[in-house]
């Protein structure tokens, strides 16, 4: 109870309630700064004029979701009804509650009467798997009636009233048709699994809530198959659990005339016995690791996307070369535990196992890193020597191995 009172007091002190309003003739455009953390667009919001929270801006989500029910309970929010939503395995129903007339402020943008879902439990557990402190998701029911511009370099998200949106110069931006279905943007494009293969026409969800480059659903198209070399892994985190699948590289993915080459891709089998109608015929997802290579404008009302390459466009798609995935813990999210080790990988051969806590890497305390930072250390050059100190069952252990390509 003491912590709850302290939290409310801090929130009341920190919340900035200014002259905010939705877009109109008087306010035609609003720029909202964001943080790009672990390839997630994180925006600071004020919840019901009191609590400063951090939400992910998610074009792949139809609704706004509060993942931490304790905040709405703390403010005495009443729920109008219970809602069942589908888990990451597309078979397990999860509970949420509909909260109406919530005020959300993002900088100078305000919606005074917004509906959102409140999860019964924090099924996402963003902190553990991304190392990012997040309290919810901003879904398209909040921004889907506007033109949305995302500048990944300047870290600015712009909401533009569609009446006052000027189509960008074709010499700078490529215009690409998209389809908006249930407030989500879909792109019809093509991928090539191998250099000698023909292009495969696919339908992809544009998903800024996914910290991956590409996800393909193997069994949604007769020509989609796994590359010759893949590894098993946790390919994502969704409602209710880890999404299992495989990882590898494909030769090319197309976005309009732009080509993303040698792209790290995730592969997921969709159980044919499940109701997949909510996928809307999609063959996969294009996530932030690919999208951040562009200045991107999504014109929701006119179903059009505009792309212009930025400084990230030609950067190589990187992936772990140790064979282990990590998760964050501790109050500061600076304690790192091994979540999974691939059998036969450098980390596995060195003796590292699931549940080990990483203490030091090449002489540097692990607590100096973020989860993103420590993960990047294991994406280093082929042959790089790694000396890892870990703790297992209260004992310190030293492991050594060299990084190598896994696919």
């Amino acid at each position: 109870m003491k912590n709850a009172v302290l939290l409310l007091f801090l929130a009341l002190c920190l919340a900035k309630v200014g002259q905010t309003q939705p877009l109109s003739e008087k306010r035609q455009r609003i720029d909202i700064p964001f943080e790009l953390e672990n390839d997630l667009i994180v925006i600071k919001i004020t919840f019901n004029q009191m609590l400063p929270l951090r939400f992910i801006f998610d074009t792949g989500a139809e609704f706004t979701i509060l993942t931490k029910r304790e905040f709405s309970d703390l403010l005495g929010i009443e729920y109008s009804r219970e809602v069942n939503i589908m888990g990451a395995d597309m078979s397990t129903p999860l509970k949420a509650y509909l909260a109406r007339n919530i005020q959300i402020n993002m900088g100078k943008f305000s919606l005074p009467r917004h509906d959102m879902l409140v999860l019964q439990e924090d099924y996402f557990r963003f902190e553990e798997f991304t190392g990012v402190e997040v309290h919810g998701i901003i879904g398209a029911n909040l921004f889907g009636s506007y033109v949305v511009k995302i500048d990944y370099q300047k870290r600015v998200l712009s909401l533009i009233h569609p009446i006052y949106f000027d189509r960008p110069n074709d010499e700078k931006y490529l215009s690409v048709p998209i389809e908006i279905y249930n407030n989500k943007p879909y792109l019809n494009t093509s991928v090539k699994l191998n250099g000698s293969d023909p292009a495969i026409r696919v339908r992809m969800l544009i998903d800024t809530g996914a910290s991956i480059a590409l996800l393909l659903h193997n069994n949604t198209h007769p020509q989609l198959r796994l590359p010759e070399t893949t590894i098993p892994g946790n390919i994502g985190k969704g409602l209710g659990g880890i999404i299992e699948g495989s990882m590898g590289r494909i030769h090319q993915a197309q976005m309009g005339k732009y080509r993303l080459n040698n792209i790290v891709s995730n592969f997921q089998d969709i159980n044919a016995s499940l109701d997949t109608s909510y996928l809307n015929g999609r063959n996969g997802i294009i996530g932030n690791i690919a999208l951040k290579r562009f200045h991107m404008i999504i014109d929701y009302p006119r179903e059009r996307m505009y792309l212009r390459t930025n400084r990230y466009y030609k950067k190589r798609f990187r992936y772990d070369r140790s064979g282990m995935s990590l998760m964050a813990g501790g109050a500061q999210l600076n304690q790192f535990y091994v979540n999974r080790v691939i059998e036969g990988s450098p980390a596995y051969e060195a003796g590292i196992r699931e549940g080990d806590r990483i203490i030091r890497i090449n002489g540097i305390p692990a607590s100096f890193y973020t989860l993103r930072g420590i993960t990047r250390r294991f994406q280093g050059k082929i042959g790089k020597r790694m000396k890892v100190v870990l703790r297992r069952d209260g004992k310190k252990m030293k492991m050594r191995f060299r990084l190598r390509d896994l696919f």
Side-chain angles (χ1 to χ4, degrees):
M1 181 65 184
K2 181 180 179 181
N3 291 337
V5 172
L6 177 61
L7 176 61
L8 181 57
F9 173 76
L10 290 174
L12 290 169
C13 291
L14 292 173
K16 298 178 180 179
V17 183
Q19 298 300 314
T20 58
Q21 61 184 43
L23 295 180
S24 64
E25 293 183 4
K26 294 182 179 180
R27 188 181 295 274
Q28 302 172 10
R29 168 178 172 155
I30 293 177
D31 295 332
I32 303 168
F34 67 82
E35 299 167 6
L36 191 63
E37 295 197 37
N38 208 2
D39 294 306
L40 293 170
I41 296 174
V42 180
I43 295 177
K44 295 179 180 179
I45 76 162
T46 303
F47 181 85
N48 250 21
Q49 297 186 289
M50 291 187 179
L51 293 177
L53 303 178
R54 288 157 51 91
F55 275 42
I56 291 173
F57 180 82
D58 190 353
T59 58
E62 186 176 353
F63 300 105
T64 300
I65 298 175
L66 177 66
T67 60
K68 309 284 188 182
R69 182 183 170 185
E70 57 265 30
F71 291 116
S72 54
D73 286 348
L74 181 64
L75 297 182
I77 302 295
E78 294 186 1
Y79 309 114
S80 64
R81 62 187 175 92
E82 185 178 298
V83 179
N84 283 330
I85 54 180
M86 196 60 67
D89 60 0
M90 291 184 288
S91 62
T92 306
L94 306 173
K95 286 186 179 181
Y97 303 95
L98 179 62
R100 294 191 177 277
N101 301 323
I102 303 299
Q103 178 160 337
I104 293 180
N105 295 343
M106 298 185 295
K108 295 182 178 180
F109 179 79
S110 176
L111 283 180
R113 300 173 65 84
H114 186 63
D115 293 346
M116 67 166 52
L117 296 178
V118 180
L119 298 184
Q120 183 184 50
E121 301 176 24
D122 185 4
Y123 304 112
F124 279 105
R125 294 159 58 202
F126 279 119
E127 291 85 354
E128 293 181 10
F129 293 93
T130 67
V132 178
E133 184 182 4
V134 172
H135 310 104
I137 293 171
I138 297 173
N141 64 327
L142 188 150
F143 57 81
S145 59
Y146 301 116
V147 177
V148 177
K149 181 177 181 179
I150 305 175
D151 188 329
Y152 286 93
Q153 287 187 186
K154 295 182 179 179
R155 308 289 199 265
V156 175
L157 172 77
S158 302
L159 300 181
I160 306 167
H161 196 294
I163 295 177
Y164 304 100
F165 172 66
D166 293 326
R167 186 169 179 261
N169 189 327
D170 281 343
E171 293 180 1
K172 294 183 178 180
Y173 280 89
L174 173 69
S175 176
V176 182
I178 58 175
E179 179 190 343
I180 305 298
Y181 181 81
N182 284 344
N183 290 329
K184 300 177 185 180
Y186 292 85
L187 173 67
N188 291 313
T189 184
S190 64
V191 297
K192 292 182 71 174
L193 301 182
N194 296 293
S196 59
D197 289 347
I200 304 169
R201 295 297 297 175
V202 290
R203 179 179 175 82
M204 306 293 285
L205 173 66
I206 302 297
D207 190 355
T208 62
S211 56
I212 58 173
L214 199 72
L215 169 66
L216 293 172
H217 304 309
N218 301 329
N219 51 346
T220 60
H221 191 291
Q223 292 177 278
L224 285 179
R225 63 183 188 278
L226 292 177
E228 292 182 1
T229 305
T230 60
I231 59 173
N234 303 332
I235 63 174
K237 183 71 174 67
L239 279 170
I242 295 293
I243 303 173
E244 298 286 345
S246 302
M247 297 193 67
R249 289 185 186 269
I250 67 169
H251 177 68
Q252 193 174 90
Q254 199 92 6
M255 291 191 68
K257 69 177 182 181
Y258 298 116
R259 298 173 180 175
L260 301 175
N261 298 317
N262 200 25
I263 182 171
V264 173
S265 304
N266 301 273
F267 303 88
Q268 180 191 18
D269 284 328
I270 303 297
N271 191 328
S273 65
L274 299 177
D275 178 11
T276 58
S277 58
Y278 88 99
L279 294 178
N280 187 31
R282 81 181 188 214
N283 303 111
I285 290 170
I286 301 175
N288 259 337
I289 294 179
L291 298 174
K292 74 178 182 181
R293 292 155 195 266
F294 302 91
H295 296 298
M296 184 169 66
I297 301 173
I298 302 177
D299 186 341
Y300 280 86
R302 300 175 184 89
E303 297 188 295
R304 181 71 52 173
M305 180 169 65
Y306 300 91
L307 298 173
R308 178 160 64 93
T309 59
N310 60 25
R311 68 186 183 201
Y312 303 125
Y313 177 60
K314 293 185 178 180
K315 286 187 177 295
R316 186 178 186 271
F317 289 93
R318 303 173 62 179
Y319 185 65
D320 167 71
R321 287 181 165 132
S322 70
M324 61 180 172
S325 60
L326 305 177
M327 58 190 296
Q332 304 300 317
L333 296 176
N334 61 353
Q335 297 177 13
F336 305 105
Y337 300 86
V338 178
N339 179 55
R340 183 170 184 169
V341 188
I342 298 171
E343 190 171 348
S345 67
Y348 186 89
E349 292 170 350
I352 297 176
R353 296 294 181 264
E354 181 180 333
D356 291 344
R357 178 182 170 188
I358 305 296
I359 304 298
R360 302 178 76 89
I361 302 174
N362 290 350
I364 300 176
S367 58
F368 285 7
Y369 294 99
T370 62
L371 181 60
R372 175 64 172 166
I374 200 170
T375 299
R376 289 184 69 87
R377 292 300 305 271
F378 295 113
Q379 297 175 349
K381 293 182 178 180
I382 296 172
K384 182 176 176 61
R385 295 179 180 180
M386 305 301 297
K387 179 182 177 182
V388 178
V389 179
L390 56 84
R391 189 182 300 278
R392 181 189 301 166
D393 298 329
K395 297 180 181 180
K396 281 188 177 181
M397 307 175 71
K398 296 180 180 179
M399 306 295 187
R400 292 178 174 85
F401 57 88
R402 291 178 182 268
L403 300 179
R404 69 169 184 263
D405 268 340
L406 304 178
F407 51 76

